[in-house]
Coordinates of all heavy atoms in Angstrom, one line a residue:
M236 N 2.6 -2.1 -13.0 CA 2.3 -1.2 -11.8 C 1.7 -2.1 -10.8 O 0.9 -3.1 -11.1 CB 1.3 -0.2 -12.3 CG 0.8 0.7 -11.1 SD -0.5 1.9 -11.5 CE 0.3 2.9 -12.8
L237 N 2.0 -1.8 -9.5 CA 1.4 -2.5 -8.4 C -0.1 -2.5 -8.5 O -0.7 -1.5 -8.8 CB 1.8 -1.9 -7.1 CG 1.2 -2.5 -5.8 CD1 1.9 -3.9 -5.5 CD2 1.5 -1.6 -4.6
T238 N -0.8 -3.7 -8.3 CA -2.2 -3.8 -8.2 C -2.7 -4.1 -6.8 O -1.9 -4.5 -6.0 CB -2.8 -4.9 -9.2 OG1 -2.2 -6.1 -8.8 CG2 -2.4 -4.6 -10.6
L239 N -3.9 -3.8 -6.5 CA -4.5 -4.0 -5.2 C -5.6 -4.9 -5.3 O -6.5 -4.8 -6.2 CB -5.0 -2.7 -4.6 CG -4.0 -1.5 -4.5 CD1 -4.7 -0.3 -4.0 CD2 -2.8 -1.8 -3.7
T240 N -5.7 -5.9 -4.3 CA -6.9 -6.8 -4.3 C -8.0 -6.0 -3.6 O -7.8 -5.0 -3.0 CB -6.6 -8.0 -3.5 OG1 -6.4 -7.7 -2.1 CG2 -5.4 -8.8 -4.0
D241 N -9.2 -6.5 -3.8 CA -10.4 -5.9 -3.1 C -10.2 -5.8 -1.6 O -10.5 -4.9 -1.0 CB -11.7 -6.7 -3.4 CG -12.1 -6.6 -4.9 OD1 -11.6 -5.6 -5.6 OD2 -12.9 -7.4 -5.4
N242 N -9.6 -6.9 -1.0 CA -9.3 -6.9 0.4 C -8.4 -5.8 0.8 O -8.5 -5.1 1.8 CB -8.7 -8.2 0.9 CG -9.7 -9.3 0.9 OD1 -11.0 -9.1 0.9 ND2 -9.3 -10.6 0.9
A243 N -7.3 -5.6 0.0 CA -6.3 -4.5 0.3 C -7.0 -3.2 0.2 O -6.8 -2.3 1.1 CB -5.2 -4.6 -0.7
V244 N -7.8 -3.0 -0.8 CA -8.5 -1.7 -0.9 C -9.3 -1.4 0.4 O -9.3 -0.3 0.9 CB -9.5 -1.7 -2.2 CG1 -10.4 -0.5 -2.2 CG2 -8.6 -1.7 -3.4
Q245 N -10.1 -2.4 0.8 CA -10.9 -2.2 2.0 C -10.1 -1.9 3.3 O -10.4 -1.0 4.0 CB -11.8 -3.4 2.2 CG -12.8 -3.2 3.4 CD -13.8 -2.1 3.1 OE1 -14.4 -2.0 2.1 NE2 -13.9 -1.1 4.1
V246 N -9.0 -2.7 3.5 CA -8.2 -2.5 4.6 C -7.5 -1.2 4.6 O -7.4 -0.5 5.6 CB -7.1 -3.7 4.8 CG1 -6.1 -3.4 5.8 CG2 -7.9 -5.0 5.1
I247 N -7.0 -0.7 3.5 CA -6.3 0.6 3.3 C -7.3 1.7 3.6 O -7.0 2.6 4.4 CB -5.7 0.7 2.0 CG1 -4.5 -0.2 1.8 CG2 -5.2 2.2 1.7 CD1 -4.0 -0.4 0.4
R248 N -8.5 1.6 3.1 CA -9.5 2.6 3.4 C -9.9 2.7 4.8 O -10.0 3.8 5.4 CB -10.8 2.4 2.5 CG -10.7 2.7 1.1 CD -12.0 2.8 0.4 NE -12.8 1.6 0.7 CZ -13.6 1.0 -0.2 NH1 -13.6 1.4 -1.5 NH2 -14.3 0.0 0.1
D249 N -10.0 1.5 5.5 CA -10.3 1.5 6.9 C -9.2 2.1 7.7 O -9.4 2.9 8.6 CB -10.6 0.0 7.4 CG -11.9 -0.5 6.8 OD1 -12.7 0.3 6.3 OD2 -12.1 -1.7 6.9
L250 N -7.9 1.7 7.4 CA -6.8 2.2 8.2 C -6.7 3.7 8.0 O -6.4 4.4 9.0 CB -5.5 1.6 7.6 CG -5.1 0.2 8.1 CD1 -3.9 -0.3 7.4 CD2 -4.9 0.2 9.6
T251 N -6.8 4.3 6.8 CA -6.6 5.7 6.6 C -7.8 6.5 7.2 O -7.6 7.6 7.7 CB -6.4 6.0 5.1 OG1 -7.5 5.5 4.3 CG2 -5.1 5.4 4.6
A252 N -9.0 5.9 7.2 CA -10.1 6.6 7.8 C -10.0 6.7 9.3 O -10.3 7.7 9.9 CB -11.4 5.9 7.5
Q253 N -9.3 5.7 9.9 CA -9.1 5.7 11.4 C -8.0 6.7 11.8 O -8.1 7.3 12.9 CB -8.7 4.4 11.9 CG -9.8 3.3 11.8 CD -9.3 1.9 12.1 OE1 -8.2 1.8 12.6 NE2 -10.1 0.9 11.8
S254 N -7.1 6.9 10.9 CA -5.9 7.7 11.3 C -5.9 9.2 11.0 O -5.2 9.9 11.5 CB -4.6 7.1 10.7 OG -4.7 7.3 9.3
S255 N -6.8 9.6 10.0 CA -6.8 10.9 9.6 C -8.1 11.3 8.9 O -8.8 10.5 8.4 CB -5.7 11.2 8.6 OG -5.7 12.5 8.1
S256 N -8.4 12.6 9.0 CA -9.6 13.0 8.3 C -9.3 13.6 6.9 O -10.2 14.0 6.1 CB -10.3 14.1 9.1 OG -9.4 15.2 9.3
S257 N -8.0 13.6 6.6 CA -7.6 14.1 5.3 C -7.9 13.1 4.2 O -7.6 11.9 4.3 CB -6.1 14.4 5.3 OG -5.6 14.7 4.0
Q258 N -8.3 13.6 3.0 CA -8.6 12.8 1.9 C -7.3 12.4 1.2 O -7.3 11.6 0.3 CB -9.6 13.4 0.9 CG -10.9 13.6 1.6 CD -12.0 13.6 0.5 OE1 -11.8 13.7 -0.6 NE2 -13.2 13.6 1.0
E259 N -6.2 13.1 1.5 CA -4.9 12.8 0.9 C -4.2 11.6 1.6 O -3.2 11.1 1.1 CB -4.0 14.0 1.0 CG -4.5 15.2 0.1 CD -4.4 14.9 -1.4 OE1 -3.4 14.4 -1.8 OE2 -5.5 15.0 -2.0
T260 N -4.7 11.2 2.7 CA -4.0 10.1 3.5 C -4.0 8.8 2.8 O -5.0 8.5 2.1 CB -4.7 9.9 4.9 OG1 -4.6 11.2 5.6 CG2 -4.0 8.9 5.7
G261 N -2.9 8.1 2.9 CA -2.8 6.7 2.3 C -1.7 6.0 3.0 O -1.2 6.4 4.0
I262 N -1.4 4.8 2.4 CA -0.3 4.1 2.9 C 0.9 4.3 2.0 O 0.7 4.5 0.8 CB -0.5 2.6 3.1 CG1 -0.8 1.9 1.8 CG2 -1.6 2.3 4.1 CD1 -0.7 0.4 1.8
R263 N 2.1 4.4 2.6 CA 3.3 4.6 1.8 C 4.2 3.4 1.9 O 4.4 2.9 3.0 CB 4.0 5.9 2.3 CG 5.2 6.3 1.4 CD 5.7 7.7 1.7 NE 6.6 8.1 0.6 CZ 7.9 8.0 0.7 NH1 8.5 7.5 1.8 NH2 8.7 8.4 -0.3
I264 N 4.7 3.0 0.8 CA 5.7 1.9 0.8 C 7.0 2.5 0.3 O 7.0 3.0 -0.8 CB 5.2 0.7 -0.1 CG1 3.8 0.2 0.4 CG2 6.2 -0.4 -0.1 CD1 3.2 -0.9 -0.5
A265 N 8.0 2.4 1.1 CA 9.3 3.0 0.8 C 10.4 2.0 1.0 O 10.4 1.2 1.9 CB 9.5 4.3 1.6
S266 N 11.5 2.3 0.3 CA 12.7 1.5 0.5 C 13.4 2.0 1.7 O 13.3 3.1 2.1 CB 13.6 1.6 -0.7 OG 13.9 3.0 -1.0
Q267 N 14.2 1.1 2.3 CA 15.0 1.5 3.5 C 16.5 1.6 3.0 O 17.0 0.6 2.6 CB 14.9 0.4 4.6 CG 13.6 0.4 5.3 CD 13.5 -0.5 6.4 OE1 13.6 -1.7 6.3 NE2 13.4 0.0 7.6
A268 N 17.0 2.8 3.1 CA 18.3 3.1 2.6 C 19.4 2.2 3.2 O 20.3 1.8 2.5 CB 18.7 4.5 2.8
D269 N 19.3 1.9 4.5 CA 20.3 1.1 5.2 C 20.1 -0.4 5.0 O 21.0 -1.2 5.4 CB 20.4 1.5 6.6 CG 19.0 1.2 7.3 OD1 18.0 1.1 6.7 OD2 19.0 1.1 8.6
Q270 N 19.1 -0.9 4.4 CA 18.8 -2.3 4.2 C 18.3 -2.6 2.8 O 17.2 -2.5 2.5 CB 17.8 -2.8 5.2 CG 18.2 -2.7 6.7 CD 17.2 -3.2 7.6 OE1 16.1 -3.7 7.2 NE2 17.5 -3.1 8.9
A271 N 19.3 -2.9 1.9 CA 19.0 -3.1 0.5 C 17.9 -4.2 0.4 O 18.0 -5.3 1.0 CB 20.2 -3.6 -0.2
G272 N 16.9 -3.9 -0.4 CA 15.8 -4.9 -0.7 C 14.7 -4.9 0.4 O 13.7 -5.6 0.2
S273 N 14.8 -4.1 1.4 CA 13.8 -4.0 2.4 C 12.8 -2.8 2.1 O 13.3 -1.8 1.7 CB 14.4 -3.8 3.8 OG 15.1 -4.9 4.2
L274 N 11.6 -3.1 2.4 CA 10.5 -2.1 2.2 C 9.8 -1.9 3.5 O 9.7 -2.8 4.3 CB 9.5 -2.5 1.1 CG 10.1 -2.7 -0.3 CD1 9.0 -3.3 -1.2 CD2 10.6 -1.4 -0.8
V275 N 9.4 -0.7 3.8 CA 8.6 -0.4 5.0 C 7.3 0.2 4.6 O 7.2 1.0 3.7 CB 9.4 0.5 6.0 CG1 9.7 1.9 5.3 CG2 8.7 0.7 7.3
L276 N 6.2 -0.2 5.3 CA 4.9 0.3 5.0 C 4.5 1.2 6.2 O 4.6 0.8 7.3 CB 3.9 -0.8 4.8 CG 2.5 -0.5 4.5 CD1 2.0 -1.6 3.5 CD2 1.6 -0.4 5.7
S277 N 3.9 2.4 5.9 CA 3.5 3.3 6.9 C 2.3 4.1 6.4 O 2.0 4.1 5.2 CB 4.6 4.2 7.4 OG 5.0 5.0 6.3
I278 N 1.5 4.7 7.4 CA 0.4 5.6 7.0 C 1.0 7.0 6.8 O 1.8 7.4 7.6 CB -0.7 5.6 8.0 CG1 -1.3 4.2 8.1 CG2 -1.7 6.6 7.7 CD1 -2.3 4.0 9.2
S279 N 0.6 7.6 5.7 CA 1.2 8.9 5.3 C 0.1 9.9 5.0 O -0.9 9.5 4.4 CB 2.1 8.7 4.1 OG 2.6 10.0 3.7
D280 N 0.3 11.2 5.4 CA -0.7 12.2 5.1 C -0.7 12.6 3.6 O -1.7 13.3 3.2 CB -0.4 13.5 5.9 CG -0.6 13.3 7.4 OD1 -1.5 12.4 7.7 OD2 0.0 14.0 8.2
G281 N 0.2 12.1 2.9 CA 0.2 12.4 1.4 C 1.5 11.9 0.8 O 2.4 11.5 1.5
P282 N 1.6 11.9 -0.5 CA 2.7 11.4 -1.2 C 3.9 12.4 -1.1 O 3.7 13.6 -1.0 CB 2.3 11.2 -2.6 CG 1.2 12.3 -2.8 CD 0.5 12.4 -1.5
A283 N 5.1 11.8 -1.2 CA 6.3 12.7 -1.4 C 6.3 13.1 -2.9 O 5.7 12.5 -3.7 CB 7.6 11.9 -1.0
A284 N 7.1 14.1 -3.2 CA 7.2 14.7 -4.5 C 7.5 13.6 -5.6 O 7.0 13.7 -6.7 CB 8.2 15.8 -4.6
T285 N 8.3 12.6 -5.3 CA 8.8 11.7 -6.3 C 8.0 10.4 -6.2 O 8.3 9.4 -6.9 CB 10.3 11.3 -6.1 OG1 10.5 10.8 -4.8 CG2 11.1 12.6 -6.3
D286 N 7.0 10.3 -5.3 CA 6.2 9.0 -5.2 C 5.3 8.8 -6.4 O 4.7 9.7 -6.9 CB 5.3 9.1 -3.9 CG 6.1 8.9 -2.7 OD1 7.3 8.6 -2.7 OD2 5.5 9.0 -1.6
Q287 N 5.1 7.5 -6.7 CA 4.1 7.1 -7.6 C 2.8 6.9 -6.8 O 2.9 6.4 -5.7 CB 4.5 5.8 -8.3 CG 3.5 5.2 -9.2 CD 3.9 3.9 -9.8 OE1 4.0 2.9 -9.1 NE2 4.1 3.8 -11.1
V288 N 1.7 7.4 -7.3 CA 0.4 7.3 -6.5 C -0.5 6.3 -7.2 O -0.7 6.5 -8.4 CB -0.2 8.7 -6.4 CG1 -1.6 8.6 -5.7 CG2 0.7 9.7 -5.7
I289 N -1.0 5.4 -6.5 CA -2.0 4.4 -7.0 C -3.2 4.7 -6.2 O -3.2 4.6 -4.9 CB -1.5 3.0 -6.8 CG1 -0.2 2.8 -7.6 CG2 -2.5 2.0 -7.2 CD1 0.5 1.5 -7.3
E290 N -4.3 4.9 -6.9 CA -5.6 5.1 -6.2 C -6.6 4.2 -6.8 O -6.9 4.2 -8.0 CB -6.1 6.6 -6.2 CG -7.3 6.8 -5.4 CD -7.6 8.3 -5.2 OE1 -6.8 9.1 -5.7 OE2 -8.6 8.6 -4.6
V291 N -7.3 3.4 -5.9 CA -8.3 2.4 -6.3 C -9.5 2.6 -5.4 O -9.3 2.3 -4.2 CB -7.8 1.0 -6.3 CG1 -8.9 0.0 -6.7 CG2 -6.6 0.8 -7.2
E292 N -10.6 3.0 -5.9 CA -11.8 3.1 -5.1 C -11.6 3.8 -3.7 O -12.1 3.4 -2.7 CB -12.4 1.7 -4.9 CG -12.8 1.1 -6.2 CD -13.3 -0.4 -6.0 OE1 -13.7 -0.7 -4.9 OE2 -13.3 -1.1 -7.0
G293 N -10.8 4.9 -3.7 CA -10.6 5.6 -2.5 C -9.4 5.2 -1.7 O -9.1 5.9 -0.7
A294 N -8.8 4.1 -2.0 CA -7.6 3.6 -1.3 C -6.4 4.2 -2.0 O -6.2 4.0 -3.2 CB -7.6 2.1 -1.3
R295 N -5.5 4.9 -1.3 CA -4.4 5.5 -1.9 C -3.1 4.8 -1.4 O -2.9 4.6 -0.2 CB -4.3 7.0 -1.5 CG -5.5 7.7 -2.2 CD -5.6 9.2 -1.7 NE -4.4 9.9 -1.7 CZ -4.1 10.7 -2.8 NH1 -4.8 10.8 -3.8 NH2 -2.9 11.4 -2.7
V296 N -2.2 4.5 -2.3 CA -0.9 3.9 -2.0 C 0.2 4.8 -2.7 O 0.1 5.1 -3.8 CB -0.8 2.5 -2.5 CG1 0.6 1.9 -2.3 CG2 -1.9 1.6 -1.9
F297 N 1.2 5.1 -1.9 CA 2.3 6.0 -2.4 C 3.5 5.1 -2.4 O 3.8 4.4 -1.4 CB 2.5 7.2 -1.4 CG 1.2 7.9 -1.1 CD1 0.9 8.1 0.3 CD2 0.3 8.3 -2.0 CE1 -0.2 8.8 0.6 CE2 -0.8 9.0 -1.7 CZ -1.1 9.2 -0.3
L298 N 4.2 5.1 -3.5 CA 5.4 4.2 -3.7 C 6.6 5.1 -4.0 O 6.6 5.9 -4.9 CB 5.2 3.2 -4.8 CG 4.1 2.3 -4.7 CD1 3.9 1.5 -6.0 CD2 4.2 1.3 -3.5
D299 N 7.7 5.0 -3.2 CA 8.9 5.7 -3.6 C 9.4 5.1 -4.8 O 9.0 4.0 -5.2 CB 9.9 5.9 -2.4 CG 10.7 4.6 -2.1 OD1 10.6 3.6 -2.9 OD2 11.6 4.7 -1.2
P300 N 10.3 5.8 -5.5 CA 10.8 5.2 -6.8 C 11.4 3.8 -6.8 O 11.2 3.0 -7.7 CB 11.9 6.2 -7.3 CG 11.4 7.5 -6.6 CD 10.9 7.1 -5.3
V301 N 12.1 3.5 -5.7 CA 12.7 2.2 -5.6 C 11.6 1.1 -5.4 O 11.6 0.1 -6.0 CB 13.8 2.1 -4.4 CG1 14.2 0.7 -4.2 CG2 14.9 3.0 -4.8
A302 N 10.7 1.4 -4.5 CA 9.6 0.5 -4.2 C 8.7 0.3 -5.5 O 8.3 -0.8 -5.8 CB 8.7 1.0 -3.0
A303 N 8.4 1.4 -6.2 CA 7.6 1.3 -7.4 C 8.3 0.4 -8.4 O 7.6 -0.4 -9.0 CB 7.4 2.7 -8.0
D304 N 9.6 0.5 -8.5 CA 10.3 -0.4 -9.5 C 10.2 -1.9 -9.0 O 10.0 -2.8 -9.8 CB 11.7 0.1 -9.6 CG 12.5 -0.7 -10.7 OD1 11.9 -0.8 -11.8 OD2 13.5 -1.2 -10.4
A305 N 10.5 -2.1 -7.7 CA 10.5 -3.4 -7.1 C 9.1 -4.1 -7.2 O 9.0 -5.3 -7.3 CB 11.0 -3.4 -5.7
L306 N 8.1 -3.3 -7.1 CA 6.7 -3.9 -7.0 C 5.9 -3.8 -8.3 O 4.7 -4.0 -8.3 CB 6.0 -3.1 -5.8 CG 6.6 -3.2 -4.5 CD1 5.8 -2.4 -3.4 CD2 6.8 -4.6 -4.0
D307 N 6.6 -3.4 -9.3 CA 5.9 -3.2 -10.6 C 5.1 -4.4 -11.1 O 4.0 -4.2 -11.7 CB 7.0 -2.8 -11.7 CG 6.3 -2.4 -13.0 OD1 5.4 -1.5 -12.9 OD2 6.6 -3.0 -14.0
D308 N 5.5 -5.6 -10.8 CA 4.7 -6.8 -11.3 C 4.1 -7.5 -10.1 O 3.8 -8.7 -10.2 CB 5.7 -7.7 -12.0 CG 6.8 -8.2 -11.2 OD1 7.1 -7.7 -10.1 OD2 7.5 -9.1 -11.6
K309 N 3.8 -6.8 -9.0 CA 3.3 -7.4 -7.8 C 1.8 -7.0 -7.6 O 1.4 -6.0 -8.1 CB 4.1 -7.1 -6.6 CG 5.6 -7.4 -6.7 CD 5.8 -8.9 -6.7 CE 7.2 -9.3 -6.6 NZ 7.9 -9.4 -7.8
S310 N 1.2 -7.8 -6.7 CA -0.2 -7.5 -6.3 C -0.2 -7.4 -4.7 O 0.4 -8.3 -4.1 CB -1.2 -8.5 -6.7 OG -2.5 -8.3 -6.3
L311 N -0.8 -6.4 -4.2 CA -0.9 -6.2 -2.7 C -2.2 -6.7 -2.2 O -3.3 -6.3 -2.7 CB -0.7 -4.8 -2.3 CG -0.7 -4.4 -0.8 CD1 0.5 -5.0 -0.2 CD2 -0.7 -2.9 -0.6
D312 N -2.1 -7.7 -1.2 CA -3.3 -8.2 -0.6 C -3.3 -7.9 0.9 O -2.2 -7.6 1.4 CB -3.4 -9.7 -0.8 CG -4.8 -10.3 -0.4 OD1 -5.8 -9.5 -0.3 OD2 -4.9 -11.5 -0.3
A313 N -4.4 -7.9 1.6 CA -4.4 -7.6 3.0 C -5.5 -8.4 3.7 O -6.5 -8.8 3.0 CB -4.7 -6.1 3.2
N314 N -5.3 -8.7 4.9 CA -6.3 -9.3 5.8 C -6.2 -8.7 7.2 O -5.3 -8.0 7.5 CB -6.0 -10.8 6.0 CG -6.3 -11.6 4.7 OD1 -7.4 -11.5 4.2 ND2 -5.3 -12.4 4.2
V315 N -7.3 -8.9 7.9 CA -7.3 -8.4 9.3 C -7.6 -9.6 10.2 O -8.5 -10.4 9.9 CB -8.5 -7.3 9.5 CG1 -8.6 -6.9 10.9 CG2 -8.2 -6.1 8.6
D316 N -6.7 -9.8 11.2 CA -6.9 -10.9 12.1 C -8.0 -10.7 13.1 O -8.6 -9.7 13.1 CB -5.5 -11.3 12.8 CG -5.0 -10.3 13.8 OD1 -5.8 -9.4 14.2 OD2 -3.8 -10.3 14.1
Q317 N -8.2 -11.7 14.0 CA -9.3 -11.6 14.9 C -9.1 -10.5 16.0 O -10.1 -10.1 16.5 CB -9.4 -13.0 15.7 CG -9.9 -14.1 14.8 CD -10.0 -15.4 15.5 OE1 -9.6 -15.6 16.6 NE2 -10.5 -16.4 14.8
Q318 N -7.9 -10.1 16.2 CA -7.7 -8.9 17.1 C -7.8 -7.6 16.4 O -7.6 -6.5 17.0 CB -6.3 -9.1 17.7 CG -6.1 -10.2 18.7 CD -6.0 -11.6 18.1 OE1 -5.4 -11.7 17.0 NE2 -6.6 -12.6 18.7
G319 N -8.1 -7.6 15.1 CA -8.2 -6.4 14.3 C -6.9 -5.8 13.8 O -6.9 -4.7 13.3
S320 N -5.9 -6.6 13.8 CA -4.6 -6.1 13.3 C -4.5 -6.5 11.8 O -4.6 -7.7 11.4 CB -3.4 -6.8 14.0 OG -3.4 -6.4 15.4
P321 N -4.1 -5.5 11.0 CA -4.0 -5.8 9.5 C -2.7 -6.4 9.2 O -1.7 -6.2 9.9 CB -4.1 -4.4 8.9 CG -3.6 -3.5 9.9 CD -4.0 -4.1 11.3
S322 N -2.7 -7.2 8.2 CA -1.4 -7.7 7.6 C -1.5 -7.6 6.1 O -2.5 -7.8 5.5 CB -1.2 -9.2 8.1 OG -2.2 -10.0 7.6
F323 N -0.3 -7.3 5.5 CA -0.2 -7.2 4.1 C 0.7 -8.2 3.5 O 1.7 -8.6 4.2 CB 0.3 -5.8 3.7 CG -0.7 -4.7 4.1 CD1 -0.7 -4.1 5.3 CD2 -1.6 -4.3 3.1 CE1 -1.6 -3.1 5.6 CE2 -2.5 -3.3 3.4 CZ -2.5 -2.7 4.7
R324 N 0.4 -8.7 2.3 CA 1.3 -9.6 1.6 C 1.4 -9.3 0.1 O 0.4 -8.8 -0.4 CB 0.9 -11.0 1.9 CG 0.1 -11.7 0.9 CD -0.2 -13.1 1.3 NE -1.6 -13.4 1.1 CZ -2.6 -13.2 1.9 NH1 -2.4 -12.8 3.1 NH2 -3.9 -13.4 1.5
L325 N 2.5 -9.5 -0.4 CA 2.7 -9.3 -1.9 C 2.8 -10.6 -2.6 O 3.3 -11.6 -2.1 CB 4.1 -8.5 -2.1 CG 4.1 -7.1 -1.6 CD1 5.5 -6.6 -1.5 CD2 3.3 -6.2 -2.5
S326 N 2.3 -10.6 -3.8 CA 2.4 -11.8 -4.6 C 2.6 -11.4 -6.1 O 2.4 -10.2 -6.4 CB 1.1 -12.7 -4.5 OG 0.0 -11.9 -4.9
Q327 N 3.0 -12.3 -6.9 CA 3.2 -12.0 -8.3 C 1.8 -11.8 -8.9 O 0.9 -12.5 -8.6 CB 3.9 -13.3 -8.9 CG 4.5 -13.0 -10.3 CD 5.7 -12.1 -10.1 OE1 6.4 -12.1 -9.2 NE2 6.0 -11.3 -11.2
Q328 N 1.7 -10.8 -9.8 CA 0.5 -10.6 -10.5 C 0.2 -11.8 -11.4 O 1.1 -12.3 -12.0 CB 0.6 -9.3 -11.4 CG 0.6 -8.0 -10.6 CD 0.6 -6.8 -11.4 OE1 0.5 -6.9 -12.7 NE2 0.9 -5.7 -10.8
T329 N -1.1 -12.1 -11.5 CA -1.5 -13.1 -12.4 C -2.0 -12.5 -13.7 O -2.7 -11.5 -13.6 CB -2.6 -14.1 -11.8 OG1 -3.7 -13.3 -11.4 CG2 -2.0 -14.8 -10.6
T330 N -1.7 -13.1 -14.8 CA -2.2 -12.5 -16.1 C -3.3 -13.4 -16.5 O -3.3 -14.6 -16.4 CB -1.1 -12.5 -17.2 OG1 -0.6 -13.9 -17.3 CG2 0.0 -11.6 -16.8
G331 N -4.3 -12.7 -17.0 CA -5.5 -13.5 -17.4 C -5.9 -13.1 -18.8 O -6.4 -13.2 -19.7

């Protein structure tokens, strides 16, 4: 299952708090039907019926079935640049 770094949790909570007052809001990672292997990240008011939901310390991530399968062994990290723009990156999960 996709894991979230502490940085990702904080950035996701900050993004969703700015965009909505709903506690169901999170980020959604979904496959793009017209571009095999491409994923798109967006802010969503809630999960779709078939989404896998990952919640860590108030940060919610919704994964469509294709994205959930593709990201099963990945970790999501995030940073915010000096202009306040967030960026996300995926890496292989480390086993310890």
Side-chain angles (χ1 to χ4, degrees):
M236 178 186 299
L237 177 71
T238 61
L239 308 177
T240 67
D241 292 342
N242 286 343
V244 168
Q245 186 61 50
V246 170
I247 293 166
R248 285 194 314 221
D249 290 348
L250 280 174
T251 56
Q253 292 171 14
S254 68
S255 174
S256 59
S257 169
Q258 295 205 352
E259 293 294 309
T260 301
I262 63 167
R263 185 164 195 266
I264 303 174
S266 57
Q267 291 186 294
D269 58 340
Q270 296 181 1
S273 290
L274 299 173
V275 63
L276 185 145
S277 61
I278 295 176
S279 176
D280 289 335
T285 59
D286 283 355
Q287 179 183 61
V288 177
I289 299 168
E290 185 166 0
V291 178
E292 298 175 18
R295 294 171 52 92
V296 178
F297 315 126
L298 303 171
D299 81 0
V301 173
D304 187 51
L306 302 178
D307 188 51
D308 61 348
K309 303 291 188 275
S310 180
L311 182 67
D312 192 16
N314 287 308
V315 177
D316 67 18
Q317 292 178 354
Q318 290 76 34
S320 298
S322 63
F323 291 91
R324 95 179 139 269
L325 293 164
S326 61
Q327 197 70 30
Q328 288 180 10
T329 56
T330 56

